[in-house]
Amino acid sequence: MKRMSTDVLVIGGGSTGVGVAWDAALRGLRVILVEKRDLTHGTTGRYHGLLHSGGRYAVKDPQSAIECIEENRILRRTHAHCIEDTGGFFVVTPEDEGDYPDRFKAACAKVGIPCEEIPLREAFRREPLLNPRISRVFEVPDGSADSFLATHVTAQAARQAGAQILIYHEVIDLLTEGGDGDRRVVGARVCDVVRGEEVRIDAAITVNAGGAWAGKIAAMAGVPVNVIPGKGVMVAVNHRLVNTVINRCKMPADGDILVPVHTVAIIGTTDERVSDPEMLTIEPWEVDLMLQEGDKLVPGLSRSRILRAWAGVRPLYQEGYTGESRDATRALALLDHRRRDGVAGFLTITGGKWTTFRLMAEKTVDKVCEQLGVERPCLTATTPVPGAEQGHYWLGHRLHEVEEARLQGDLICECELVTRAMIEQAVANNPTVTLDDLRRDVRLGMGPCQGGFCTFRAAGILHELRLHAQETQAQTDVNGGPPWNVAYLQSPRHSVQTKPAAFNPKVSPLDNPNLLLRDFLQERWRGLTPVLWGRQLKQERLDELIYLTIMNVDHLPEDGEASPLTEFWRFDAAGAKEDGQ
Amino acid sequence: MAPVSWHSVDLTLDECIKCNICTSHCPVSAVTDLFPGPKYVGPQAQRFREGGQSRSPDHSVDYCSGCRVCNEVCPTGVRIAELNARARAQIVAEKGLPLRNRLLGRNELLGKLGSFAPALANFALHNAFSRFMAEKVMGIAREAPLPTWSTSGTFRDWLKRTRDRRLKSDKKVVYFHGCATMYYEPFIGKAAVVVLEHNGYEVIVPEQNCCGLPLLSNGEFNAARTYHHNNVSRLAGYARTGLPIVGTSTSCTLTLKEEAPELLDYHDEPATTLKLGTYDIFEWLRELYEAGELRTDFQPLPLKLPYHAPCQQRAHRIGKPALELMALIPELDLAESHARCCGIAGTYGYKVEKYQIAMDVGAELFEFVKAQGQDVRYTACDSETCRWQLEHGTALPSRHPIEILAAAYGLYDLERRDVVAGKR
Ligand SMILES: Cc1cc2nc3c(=O)[nH]c(=O)nc-3n(C[C@H](O)[C@H](O)[C@H](O)COP(=O)(O)OP(=O)(O)OC[C@H]3O[C@@H](n4cnc5c(N)ncnc54)[C@H](O)[C@@H]3O)c2cc1C
Ligand code: SF4
Ligand code: SF4
Ligand code: SF4
């Protein structure tokens, strides 16, 4: 068995885990992070896209609100290119209760969130599709954030500071030593999912940043952690109906936020307690509710083209809590299992939000340092990650760059403007095991046709790369690899300017591009079935003709092979069967 | 430009299923790499343009000629050409407009100015030196087929001169002549008037403005709004009383019917009344014919006539009524063009950077005409700028179908382009 050792082992490649790895590496600790699939495969890649101002929590959960506004200010500097400065409105619709708006305003003032009531005329000028019956509008510094990019660049920053990031590495057991009252976690047994090998990692301290899976992971050390998995459903509209984040000005509830993210607008979310964090089934009533509530913000939203729906699971944690997940606190929870459970060398960081991931990491690594007996200050609040020099995200950036560099002929995903060079760079520089990894890297297949035209093109490129690699035999291993310029992964211009790094089959195995094609289509399909009507149905009919009638992909040889994505899209189908549906 | 309402053409981007049919038909992207094609600049780019962005991310959309071939072939009804026109307007709003486009957008003003001393104006505009200067200074291609001012007075001068001879009748129709007929080609208006009168209609020609299309296609939406507003206030009253408003310029009528309301989000009651009451002249004559009310006392016209239905006519989505009615003329041997576009697309082909593109686009049509053989004397086309381009590309004179109809009624001399003396 391969054996590695480190100061800090971080479990989970969501925003929190990657933040911890970054922070710890900047403080000079040796760090290994393991993620069972791709970075952001968990909740971080399935969230709503809102950089909170804290307004949502000002009345109900002031501690969360304070954390949000402070982190909001910091991330706008450290992760500038991942954030679009949309601003946010809190709007009072005819249904919203009487004194909440005034309480909201007072609460914002109290916790230090800039909040200004703006004239209705001004609000409607900026957002013409808003419900004309809205009676008051407050403006706050909300933003919209790309968690895929943010997590990738944070991981890059961590690597540059010396951390090792191992994706497709799943913790299957925690290693403990000592008996009752004197137990400690000394590392983990990890499975390299792609190669099917086991790795033993010895660590002075193990940090459980498993999000909604944190309970399962802690259980491996015999520690009970009651994470409340709160499932939330989101529905994306084909293009931006608004350019400002729109929140209902009322106690947080379902379907009350509309966020413009890149080229789409997302209405969300629900909050349902579920039994398993992988239980991402979307019920029809959830979609209906989102559309109904969406209409209250932008009347007509329900009749516009709906692109897809997806669900994520909140890692909510409240010691001893048994109530509704909606009412559980959003504040972060750092569990020191030495004090809590008498198990040393083991911390769990959960709760919180994307917006507060940096703060969660800071608190966690403070505790790590304390337990390791070292004294090093946190640097993340003042250290911009690679690429922040590009400034705030701008909606038109891809269109602009494609035109400037005349790359229209190289487009693979036409909807989201992904060029061939972007895909080749991503495959060469960023471990790629499935086509879904490329979606998270460059937004492949996220546009209106949902992979209709780009999936087969991308699969063709993978075939080419593989054949080419067999001829040229590239070398370099996962961590000594080429400089990882993920900060510009989303830039069409940069991808052609940079010399392509050698593609390494050890990093990106691409064993069976046909299988990857099938799995990616299934993954896209999974998000389409809940919203299959009207214009998106027309689109899917065309996509169906392309793949089933012309390419006959449903008769790809069934050789029993599976990619890590196969398991994922099959999970739902299996779950549905068990429920007898 | 953010969609301002659910009526906005911008929202039709949601209809796109990415099939690429538009791209494979666009005549401009077929001949130049400078234009990435309708799907790309239309429904696709639009998703990246939304929002109060501080600047327009792309400019290649300016190479769209506005021919609307894409709209015609799109199976799902995306208003691609309109999306493009609005994107261009956004660029203009940001960058301002070169003098050239300002001039080309002000067809009516130019027409008026030239009409004070048309011979002089023609010389000033058409001699080699000034065309050279116009290209250098303003970017108006020196070879491009610019019109000549009428030297026999404007259309309105003729109306005034022949006031006593004009038919009075209970049956009335309103005529929208447009700028070209007014200042450059009054004979088109004469032909229209005599055809309508021959069918027993009194022709009312109210005060009117330029329809605003040249402004719309050059991205000057604010100026276009003023023009459209004036036309609405002058003409909507007639439409409200049930009088049809007919026009010989397919682009003017299209603007009143559709382009102005859609591009400008101008949907109030008078504008909608005008929109619904406006017809292409052949569209309306075909209705007469179908009701059995069109006179068919046509004389034989032994001519071989290649006919091109211009893009702006096809955008009306009314079939090809001019072709149908000309087909009633004995001995007229019609050849129907299926070319996509003549290339000129309004003022597009006048611009030095687009002149060659326009000629390359038109090649399909010019070839078609050539293939009809040596004995072709005229071509026919409903739109003025297209006729000028056709003449430029084929060296054959071109006529409006209304002139052909007037000639078949024996009221009009096709060669001299004037009503026959004694016939009104
Ligand atoms: C519907 C919804 C909407 C949200 N919207 C917002 C929002 O708009 N703004 C905001 O700020 N926050 C939002 N949040 C909250 C935010 O998304 C989460 O708090 C945050 O992403 C959690 O990140 P994480 O890293 O803790 O968890 P995750 O992203 O879930 O990361 C945990 C990772 O651990 C991995 N893992 C699990 N088991 C193992 C194992 N055995 N071995 C190795 N790896 C393992 C998983 O694969 C996963 O990638 C939303 C949450 C939900 C559910
Ligand atoms: S064009 Fe389209 S979303 Fe659509 S997936 Fe592809 S190519 Fe992308
Ligand atoms: S209007 Fe004509 S030139 Fe413009 S995109 Fe459509 S087909 Fe092409
Ligand atoms: S023809 Fe219509 S549906 Fe097809 S790609 Fe073009 S705009 Fe989209």
Side-chain angles (χ1 to χ4, degrees):
Chain A
M1 196 194 303
K2 191 166 150 192
R3 203 162 165 167
M4 304 169 84
S5 85
T6 183
D7 296 335
V8 188
L9 170 64
V10 184
I11 305 171
S15 52
T16 312
V18 169
V20 169
W22 175 44
D23 190 320
L26 281 182
R27 297 198 214 193
L29 300 172
R30 292 185 306 145
V31 183
I32 296 177
L33 179 146
V34 290
E35 159 58 50
K36 69 174 178 170
R37 291 201 183 102
D38 188 20
L39 296 180
T40 72
H41 175 270
T43 307
T44 302
R46 306 169 184 286
Y47 85 141
H48 200 162
L50 172 60
L51 173 72
H52 282 282
S53 59
R56 183 168 176 80
Y57 306 112
V59 172
K60 191 176 169 185
D61 195 348
Q63 181 53 34
S64 276
I66 292 170
E67 290 172 6
C68 283
I69 186 64
E70 283 173 1
E71 290 303 302
N72 178 307
R73 294 194 173 111
I74 294 171
L75 293 180
R76 283 170 188 266
R77 292 194 306 267
T78 58
H79 288 67
H81 55 317
C82 309
I83 287 164
E84 181 179 349
D85 186 18
T86 57
F89 288 168
F90 275 78
V91 300
V92 180
T93 74
E95 293 183 40
D96 301 329
E97 71 180 271
D99 69 335
Y100 188 86
D102 294 319
R103 279 164 61 207
F104 167 77
K105 201 172 168 192
C108 285
K110 198 159 161 212
V111 295
I113 300 169
C115 168
E116 198 191 330
E117 181 157 5
I118 62 169
L120 288 175
R121 274 238 325 278
E122 159 82 1
F124 291 124
R125 187 187 59 73
R126 281 169 55 186
E127 296 301 345
L129 298 184
L130 272 188
N131 185 347
R133 293 170 65 219
I134 282 168
S135 57
R136 296 175 78 178
V137 177
F138 302 89
E139 185 169 19
V140 295
D142 283 338
S144 106
D146 182 335
S147 66
F148 301 121
L149 181 63
T151 308
H152 276 109
V153 290
T154 309
Q156 184 188 16
R159 283 178 186 239
Q160 286 174 348
Q164 292 185 52
I165 312 273
L166 304 178
I167 65 169
Y168 289 101
H169 279 64
E170 177 168 4
V171 171
I172 46 179
D173 203 5
L174 290 175
L175 306 171
T176 54
E177 278 177 3
D180 267 356
D182 184 29
R183 278 191 337 124
R184 62 180 299 117
V185 173
V186 294
R189 248 177 56 221
V190 173
C191 175
D192 174 340
V193 183
V194 174
R195 280 169 215 89
E197 293 163 12
E198 268 192 28
V199 184
R200 180 193 161 115
I201 301 174
D202 298 309
I205 291 202
T206 300
V207 175
N208 171 10
W213 291 264
K216 287 189 170 180
I217 294 168
M220 295 177 191
V223 173
V225 171
N226 183 24
V227 176
I228 310 160
K231 183 189 71 173
V233 166
M234 287 143 287
V235 175
V237 181
N238 186 37
H239 66 119
R240 287 163 67 124
L241 298 173
V242 293
N243 298 303
T244 310
V245 174
I246 313 291
N247 306 264
R248 286 271 287 281
C249 192
K250 61 166 188 176
M251 267 309 177
D254 288 348
D256 52 3
I257 313 182
L258 181 60
V259 188
V261 182
H262 290 288
T263 46
V264 300
I266 304 171
I267 178 83
T269 82
T270 49
D271 199 338
E272 280 293 296
R273 209 167 169 151
V274 291
S275 54
D276 187 315
E278 313 229 343
M279 194 66 197
L280 297 174
T281 318
I282 296 166
E283 307 289 345
W285 70 263
E286 291 175 302
V287 174
D288 281 350
L289 182 64
M290 287 309 101
L291 298 182
Q292 229 174 51
E293 294 301 301
D295 274 344
K296 294 177 187 164
L297 295 172
V298 169
L301 177 140
S302 62
R303 276 169 286 122
S304 57
R305 176 167 172 179
I306 307 297
L307 203 55
R308 83 185 268 114
W310 67 93
V313 179
R314 288 179 191 81
L316 302 177
Y317 182 82
Q318 202 163 332
E319 196 75 61
Y321 185 82
T322 52
E324 290 289 321
S325 58
R326 165 73 67 207
D327 297 326
T329 177
R330 260 60 179 168
L332 62 89
L334 174 63
L335 310 181
D336 175 358
H337 296 294
R338 185 172 66 182
R339 282 185 44 201
R340 182 175 175 271
D341 311 288
V343 178
F346 189 42
L347 304 174
T348 292
I349 175 72
T350 186
K353 281 168 282 305
W354 182 85
T355 306
T356 56
F357 81 87
R358 194 212 60 85
L359 178 67
M360 294 165 77
E362 174 174 345
K363 297 216 159 150
T364 308
V365 182
D366 283 349
K367 180 64 77 180
V368 169
C369 287
E370 181 195 310
Q371 297 199 349
L372 290 177
V374 294
E375 207 169 306
R376 293 189 192 139
C378 173
L379 297 174
T380 52
T382 51
T383 311
V385 294
E389 67 280 2
Q390 297 168 81
H392 283 174
Y393 168 80
W394 173 51
L395 176 63
H397 101 275
R398 284 194 185 189
L399 188 62
H400 181 69
E401 290 190 6
V402 166
E403 175 169 289
E404 256 193 358
R406 300 264 238 121
L407 298 171
Q408 294 96 342
D410 289 333
L411 291 175
I412 300 303
C413 174
E414 297 170 61
C415 306
E416 292 294 325
L417 302 179
V418 181
T419 66
R420 167 184 270 269
M422 286 163 80
I423 291 181
E424 288 176 350
Q425 289 285 1
V427 174
N429 289 324
N430 202 6
T432 301
V433 176
T434 69
L435 279 174
D436 204 39
D437 300 344
L438 289 176
R439 173 180 71 85
R440 282 181 287 264
D441 290 349
V442 295
R443 300 183 66 78
L444 179 79
M446 281 185 157
C449 77
Q450 288 287 300
F453 288 80
C454 59
T455 307
F456 64 84
R457 294 175 185 161
I461 293 176
L462 300 191
H463 272 296
E464 269 176 24
L465 287 174
R466 221 171 112 254
L467 291 175
H468 186 69
Q470 281 168 359
E471 285 157 17
T472 54
Q473 271 313 324
Q475 68 315 33
T476 53
D477 76 317
V478 186
N479 297 302
W484 210 39
N485 214 343
V486 107
Y488 290 89
L489 207 56
Q490 301 209 5
S491 159
R493 187 203 292 139
H494 203 268
S495 297
V496 280
Q497 282 169 354
T498 316
K499 199 170 139 295
F503 158 63
N504 181 353
K506 285 208 197 98
V507 180
S508 301
L510 314 181
D511 279 336
N512 185 347
N514 290 347
L515 170 72
L516 302 188
L517 172 128
R518 187 201 64 190
D519 285 354
F520 188 56
L521 290 174
Q522 291 290 4
E523 188 280 334
R524 294 285 82 191
W525 178 241
R526 175 180 155 131
L528 282 156
T529 39
V531 296
L532 216 49
W533 64 80
R535 286 159 283 195
Q536 202 56 24
L537 179 60
K538 268 195 224 172
Q539 179 70 61
E540 280 315 296
R541 175 65 182 136
L542 178 63
D543 292 1
E544 183 185 27
L545 288 170
I546 294 174
Y547 287 100
L548 302 191
T549 311
I550 301 177
M551 299 188 186
N552 201 18
V553 292
D554 51 345
H555 292 106
L556 280 175
E558 177 61 82
D559 45 16
E561 280 203 59
S563 78
L565 197 56
T566 313
E567 176 206 348
F568 177 65
W569 67 257
R570 279 201 183 140
F571 179 89
D572 251 10
K577 250 179 242 139
E578 277 160 30
D579 297 350
Q581 287 168 353
Chain B
M1 200 179 288
V4 296
S5 76
W6 291 99
H7 301 292
S8 166
V9 288
D10 297 357
L11 293 161
T12 64
L13 77 92
D14 278 349
E15 306 294 334
C16 178
I17 55 168
K18 313 284 154 192
C19 65
N20 267 324
I21 292 176
C22 53
T23 307
S24 60
H25 282 75
C26 171
V28 173
S29 60
V31 299
T32 174
D33 285 343
L34 293 170
F35 185 57
K39 166 172 140 183
Y40 179 88
V41 299
Q44 231 139 244
Q46 188 63 25
R47 296 175 73 237
F48 292 84
R49 288 195 200 109
E50 285 171 326
Q53 304 197 45
S54 54
R55 60 194 159 116
S56 290
D58 63 326
H59 295 118
S60 54
V61 64
D62 188 42
Y63 278 91
C64 165
S65 76
C67 69
R68 302 179 193 81
V69 167
C70 46
N71 290 13
E72 212 177 324
V73 297
C74 173
T76 60
V78 181
R79 307 302 305 257
I80 312 161
E82 287 75 12
L83 283 172
N84 296 354
R86 293 181 72 132
R88 179 185 291 120
Q90 183 63 35
I91 297 173
V92 167
E94 277 162 28
K95 294 211 309 187
L97 199 63
L99 173 64
R100 173 196 67 191
N101 296 23
R102 269 184 209 286
L103 279 180
L104 292 177
R106 286 176 177 67
N107 201 4
E108 182 174 36
L109 183 67
L110 286 180
K112 252 186 215 150
L113 288 177
S115 297
F116 289 122
L120 193 63
N122 283 333
F123 173 75
L125 184 62
H126 287 280
N127 72 73
F129 176 73
S130 48
R131 289 304 296 270
F132 175 78
M133 290 307 289
E135 176 167 308
K136 286 290 161 247
V137 178
M138 285 194 294
I140 295 179
R142 77 182 89 151
E143 307 93 330
L146 291 185
T148 50
W149 279 274
S150 161
T151 48
S152 57
T154 65
F155 173 58
R156 225 167 247 291
D157 293 341
W158 175 78
L159 276 181
K160 229 183 260 156
R161 257 201 327 272
T162 61
R163 197 169 16 200
D164 307 337
R165 275 177 275 157
R166 303 276 52 93
L167 181 74
K168 298 279 171 227
S169 162
D170 296 344
K171 297 200 287 181
K172 295 181 206 304
V173 56
V174 177
Y175 178 50
F176 191 89
H177 49 69
C179 310
T181 295
M182 184 68 175
Y183 301 108
Y184 307 118
E185 303 188 326
F187 39 83
I188 304 284
K190 299 183 198 176
V193 169
V194 294
V195 166
L196 294 168
E197 290 183 349
H198 187 67
N199 282 287
Y201 279 85
E202 176 178 338
V203 181
I204 304 171
V205 186
E207 280 292 319
Q208 53 188 264
N209 246 159
C210 168
C211 68
L213 180 65
L215 292 167
L216 288 170
S217 56
N218 282 294
E220 283 193 80
F221 279 22
N222 287 335
R225 184 179 297 279
T226 312
Y227 279 28
H228 189 58
H229 175 75
N230 290 343
N231 279 328
V232 168
S233 38
R234 284 167 178 164
L235 302 172
Y238 292 102
R240 207 172 287 118
T241 61
L243 286 188
I245 294 155
V246 303
T248 38
S249 167
T250 47
S251 50
C252 301
T253 45
L254 183 67
T255 306
L256 299 180
K257 271 183 177 181
E258 208 165 277
E259 294 299 289
E262 286 195 351
L263 290 178
L264 302 170
D265 274 310
Y266 200 136
H267 301 289
D268 62 4
E269 183 278 326
T272 306
T273 306
L274 175 59
K275 166 192 164 101
L276 296 174
T278 302
Y279 301 82
D280 166 57
I281 191 163
F282 275 94
E283 177 186 17
W284 186 73
L285 289 173
R286 181 177 59 186
E287 284 190 11
L288 281 194
Y289 174 69
E290 284 170 350
E293 291 168 13
L294 185 79
R295 285 179 62 175
T296 52
D297 50 341
F298 298 118
Q299 302 165 9
L301 264 191
L303 278 179
K304 169 126 195 153
L305 188 67
Y307 167 70
H308 174 67
C311 327
Q312 285 133 352
Q313 190 278 335
R314 302 204 304 274
H316 284 252
R317 302 184 297 279
I318 53 173
K320 294 183 177 176
L323 192 72
E324 287 175 48
L325 295 193
M326 285 192 294
L328 303 172
I329 300 171
E331 293 180 42
L332 183 63
D333 181 8
L334 285 163
E336 182 187 1
S337 142
H338 293 288
R340 286 170 286 183
C341 179
C342 71
I344 196 82
T347 56
Y348 183 83
Y350 293 159
K351 297 164 188 166
V352 66
E353 73 279 11
K354 288 161 187 147
Y355 170 77
Q356 195 51 46
I357 296 175
M359 291 305 283
D360 292 345
V361 167
E364 196 182 346
L365 177 59
F366 309 150
E367 288 304 314
F368 160 76
V369 172
K370 218 181 273 159
Q372 303 312 308
Q374 290 297 315
D375 50 346
V376 172
R377 282 172 50 208
Y378 303 106
T379 61
C381 179
D382 313 60
S383 154
E384 50 279 353
T385 49
C386 305
R387 282 195 301 276
W388 303 334
Q389 170 83 342
L390 252 171
E391 295 182 338
H392 181 53
T394 64
L396 284 168
S398 187
R399 296 294 179 256
H400 191 294
I402 200 71
E403 295 178 89
I404 307 286
L405 216 63
Y409 280 138
L411 303 169
Y412 190 82
D413 183 333
L414 269 187
E415 196 53 42
R416 284 182 29 248
R417 302 191 103 169
D418 204 350
V419 287
V420 175
K423 307 265 186 180
R424 302 194 174 278

